[in-house]
Amino acid sequence: QMQLVESGGGLVQAGGSLRLSCAASGRTFSRYLIGWFRQAPGKEREFVAAINWTGGRTYYTDSVKGRFTISRDNAKNTGYLQMNSLKPEDTAVYYCAADELGYAPGTSEDYDYWGQGTQVTVSS
């Protein structure tokens, strides 16, 4: 089993920034692709970003390109999501997840482990 714990969420004004962290334990972190998803009230969970095992390849949904940056530090067993120029429509619970095979980074069903989520609220 792998345990994932997100942190760094909070309330921020539009245009502000937050950095989310995802601390992993229980499995070899560097063997897993890491993804971030979000779920707003009344909406389905959606893909935000993902990063491959080495950090050499990243994936983003169109709505966050140029504003969000995903990264990882395998020595610290931690993944990050830097969120800049936040908008009210970014308000959601953000989840990190780990996928051992990494065939479809944007597909939530492919992920093996999930964190409990952290709330991000962007006020206008």
Side-chain angles (χ1 to χ4, degrees), residues 6-81:
E6 303 95 335
S7 61
L11 173 64
V12 64
Q13 289 187 334
S17 299
L18 285 174
R19 189 176 83 153
L20 305 183
S21 298
C22 174
S25 62
R27 291 278 186 174
T28 305
F29 180 71
S30 60
R31 293 181 179 176
Y32 288 80
L33 176 145
I34 298 298
W36 288 92
F37 291 77
R38 65 187 180 187
Q39 188 167 19
K43 296 187 177 181
E44 293 187 353
R45 187 173 297 186
E46 66 169 347
F47 169 74
V48 176
I51 187 167
N52 76 342
W53 304 263
T54 64
R57 186 165 185 176
T58 57
Y59 311 82
Y60 296 94
T61 193
D62 286 346
S63 63
V64 308
K65 285 180 181 177
R67 300 189 299 122
F68 291 11
T69 302
I70 190 171
S71 62
R72 66 189 297 160
D73 185 338
N74 287 342
K76 295 183 178 180
N77 293 335
T78 303
Y80 304 97
L81 185 67

